[in-house]
């Protein structure tokens, strides 16, 4: 809802950085379903030349809920 709401309030070249929850399960992370549908709702993900954006997840040892950094621009 937040992304749909703010889309009409920002210019298309506006960059957004969001920290969204991901859940650590065994040795992997479970991401929010919206992450797979960003293009459909009007956003492009940004990438870096020397960094895999899928690795922009931070957490502490034994922490269940981590944060994934999403870098987006509105289409």
């Amino acid at each position: 809802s937040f992304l749909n709401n703010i889309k009409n309030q920002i210019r298309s070249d506006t960059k957004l950085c969001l920290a969204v929850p991901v859940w650590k399960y065994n040795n992997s992370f479970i991401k929010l379903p919206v992450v797979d549908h960003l293009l459909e709702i009007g956003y492009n993900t940004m990438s870096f030349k020397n960094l895999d954006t899928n690795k922009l997840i931070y957490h502490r040892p034994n922490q269940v809920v981590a944060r994934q950094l999403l870098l987006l621009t509105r289409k």
Side-chain angles (χ1 to χ4, degrees):
S1 294
F2 167 76
L3 290 172
N4 282 324
N5 183 36
I6 196 145
K7 182 171 45 177
N8 296 321
Q9 300 176 45
I10 59 176
R11 296 185 340 208
S12 62
D13 60 345
T14 300
K15 295 175 177 73
L16 298 173
C17 180
L18 304 174
V20 297
V22 294
W23 292 266
K24 189 169 184 180
Y25 183 74
N26 293 329
N27 290 328
S28 63
F29 291 98
I30 299 170
K31 299 177 182 180
L32 288 175
V34 72
V35 173
D36 296 327
H37 301 283
L38 292 169
L39 283 174
E40 295 168 26
I41 61 172
Y43 291 91
N44 293 316
T45 55
M46 296 175 59
S47 60
F48 296 96
K49 184 177 180 180
N50 297 315
L51 177 68
D52 180 0
T53 53
N54 289 320
K55 295 184 179 182
L56 290 176
I57 295 176
Y58 66 93
H59 62 93
R60 294 183 303 274
N62 300 319
Q63 183 177 355
V64 176
V65 180
R67 296 288 180 259
Q68 177 184 11
L69 296 177
L70 296 178
L71 302 169
L72 311 172
T73 57
R74 195 191 85 172
K75 286 203 265 183

